């Protein structure tokens, strides 16, 4: 009786151990492969899972979250024979745990070596200037090649980023001198262009000033000619009127004409720039008589105008 009780107790303990071995909990973000006698049978998802103890066992524990791998720095020879140091990062995610576990050995090591090889291939086919200016294009080409190569492994390469491209120090110094020379050249071109534009604007201003000055002289000459024409017309009318007065026997008109010319001549002599003192032996009686004749002529003209009105 006691032996039977011991057997039952042992059997219960064995059953508890089997249940404990058969119940597996998979955390979120992970997947476990199940192997039966060493052969893959299924994949356990996150949560509570059951396996057959002793017969089944956990094979590989795969991380299904996106993972980042640092690509070690390596030397690359570009198309134009420049030596540069390059490093980067790779982002990948396992999509099929079974393929990632059994299609490739040492998954991360394989991804790193594949990425480094393709970095040398892609960047070695480009010039140094292209490496420094077309980083996005390099990343896109690497992503296409590496993702296609790793698809049979059940993973998805989401991004490949080149972190740093470091040319040798002597090449950096040469590039700095080249950049400085290029900037000096552009500065000289801009300075010359500014001086050229300033000269053009100055010439244009002088041209406009000359045009305006010529137009001013033209307008002044036109007005002077018009004034001389009107003066000539007035003198012609005065001469005509004087001729008519002389023809009618009016001596006072003759006296007026002579007095006007006399006074004009004296005025010109008095205003000459080389004259400071003017001594004139004037015939006072003749001048007074002439002025008297002018006064009588004016009075006669006014009286005639009053009679007509």
């Amino acid at each position: 009786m006691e032996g039977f009780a011991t057997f039952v107790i042992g059997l219960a303990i064995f059953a508890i151990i089997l249940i404990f071995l058969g119940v597996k909990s998979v955390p979120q973000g992970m997947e476990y492969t199940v192997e039966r006698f060493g052969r893959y049978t299924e994949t356990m998802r996150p949560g509570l899972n059951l396996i057959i103890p002793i017969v089944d066992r956990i094979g590989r524990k795969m991380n299904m979250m996106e993972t980042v791998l640092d690509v070690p720095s390596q030397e690359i020879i570009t198309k134009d024979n420049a030596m540069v140091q390059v490093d980067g990062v790779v982002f990948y995610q396992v999509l099929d745990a079974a393929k990632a576990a059994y299609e490739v050995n040492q998954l991360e090591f394989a991804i790193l070596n594949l990425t480094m090889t393709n970095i040398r291939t892609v960047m070695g086919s480009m010039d140094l200037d292209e490496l420094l200016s077309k980083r996005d294009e390099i990343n896109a080409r690497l992503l296409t090649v590496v993702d296609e190569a790793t698809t049979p492994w059940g993973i998805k390469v989401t991004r490949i980023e080149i972190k740093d491209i470091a040319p040798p120090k002597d090449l950096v110094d040469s590039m700095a001198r080249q950049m400085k020379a290029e900037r000096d050249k552009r500065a000289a071109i801009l300075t010359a262009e500014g001086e050229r534009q300033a000269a053009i604007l100055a010439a244009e201003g002088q041209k406009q000033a000359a045009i305006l000055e010529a137009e001013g002289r033209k307008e002044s000459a036109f007005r002077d000619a018009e004034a001389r024409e009107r003066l000539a017309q007035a003198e012609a009318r005065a001469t005509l009127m004087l001729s008519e007065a002389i023809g009618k026997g009016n001596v006072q008109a003759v006296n007026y004409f002579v007095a006007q010319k006399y006074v004009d001549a004296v005025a010109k002599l008095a205003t000459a720039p080389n004259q400071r003192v003017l001594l004139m032996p004037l015939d006072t009686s003749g001048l007074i008589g002439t002025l008297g004749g002018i006064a009588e002529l004016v009075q006669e003209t006014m009286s005639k105008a009053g009679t007509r009105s």
Side-chain angles (χ1 to χ4, degrees):
M1 191 70 178
E2 292 179 359
F4 180 75
T6 303
F7 174 76
V8 171
I9 293 172
L11 184 61
I13 294 173
F14 181 72
I16 292 173
I17 294 175
L18 289 179
I19 293 173
F20 179 78
L21 294 176
V23 176
K24 299 296 180 181
S25 177
V26 180
Q28 184 67 36
M30 300 290 293
E31 289 186 2
Y32 296 170
T33 62
V34 179
E35 298 176 356
R36 180 168 296 171
F37 299 115
R39 181 180 179 181
Y40 168 77
T41 57
E42 61 176 337
T43 301
M44 293 192 299
R45 310 294 177 184
L48 193 63
N49 295 268
L50 298 176
I51 62 173
I52 301 175
I54 301 175
V55 177
D56 296 336
R57 69 180 183 90
I58 302 298
R60 303 287 180 86
K61 297 179 179 180
M62 305 302 300
N63 187 346
M64 306 301 291
M65 295 180 288
E66 188 171 6
T67 305
V68 182
L69 289 179
D70 283 326
V71 179
S73 178
Q74 59 178 330
E75 290 186 348
I76 295 175
I77 300 177
T78 63
K79 185 178 179 180
D80 52 353
N81 296 324
M83 186 77 70
V84 295
Q85 289 280 344
V86 179
D87 59 3
V89 290
V90 180
F91 298 81
Y92 75 94
Q93 185 175 13
V94 176
L95 300 180
D96 190 327
K99 289 184 178 180
Y102 301 110
E103 293 293 334
V104 61
N105 187 28
Q106 297 182 347
L107 178 63
E108 292 187 356
F109 182 75
I111 295 174
L112 281 178
N113 280 273
L114 181 63
T115 303
M116 293 176 67
T117 301
N118 282 278
I119 286 176
R120 287 195 296 269
T121 301
V122 172
M123 301 183 71
S125 64
M126 304 174 71
D127 295 332
L128 179 60
D129 292 339
E130 293 179 322
L131 293 185
L132 299 176
S133 61
K134 297 182 178 180
R135 188 169 298 192
D136 291 339
E137 180 181 340
I138 295 172
N139 294 337
R141 290 176 60 181
L142 287 173
L143 178 61
T144 301
V145 174
V146 176
D147 182 52
E148 183 180 356
T150 56
T151 298
W153 301 345
I155 65 173
K156 172 67 177 176
V157 178
T158 56
R159 282 176 294 173
I160 296 180
E161 299 287 341
I162 299 298
K163 290 196 300 184
D164 189 24
I165 300 176
K169 186 178 183 302
D170 56 345
L171 188 58
V172 173
D173 294 339
S174 176
M175 293 170 62
R177 290 193 299 270
Q178 181 181 0
M179 184 181 300
K180 184 178 182 300
E182 184 66 23
R183 289 180 178 177
D184 292 341
K185 175 184 175 182
R186 277 185 280 177
I189 291 174
L190 291 176
T191 302
E193 184 66 23
E195 293 176 352
R196 173 177 172 271
Q197 191 66 23
I200 291 174
L201 292 176
E204 187 68 22
Q206 293 176 359
K207 175 183 175 182
Q208 293 295 330
I211 292 173
L212 292 176
E213 183 180 357
E215 290 180 352
R217 290 197 303 268
K218 176 182 176 183
E219 184 68 20
S220 176
F222 176 75
R223 293 184 180 275
D224 291 343
E226 186 177 3
R228 288 194 299 270
E229 182 181 358
R230 290 181 180 180
L231 180 60
Q233 290 176 357
E235 291 180 354
R237 285 197 299 269
T239 303
L240 179 60
M241 293 174 61
L242 179 62
S243 298
E244 291 177 354
I246 294 172
K248 293 177 181 180
N250 191 344
V251 180
Q252 295 177 352
V254 177
N255 292 333
Y256 169 76
F257 181 76
V258 173
Q260 183 182 10
K261 296 298 183 181
Y262 188 80
V263 172
D264 291 341
V266 172
K268 288 181 180 180
L269 287 174
T271 57
N274 57 351
Q275 295 293 333
R276 293 295 178 268
V277 179
L278 182 63
L279 300 177
M280 297 177 57
L282 298 176
D283 186 359
T284 308
S285 60
L287 179 59
I288 294 174
T290 302
L291 295 177
I294 294 172
E296 291 178 1
L297 180 61
V298 173
Q299 183 177 4
E300 181 182 353
T301 304
M302 293 179 65
S303 62
K304 287 180 181 181
T307 303
R308 292 176 183 176
S309 61

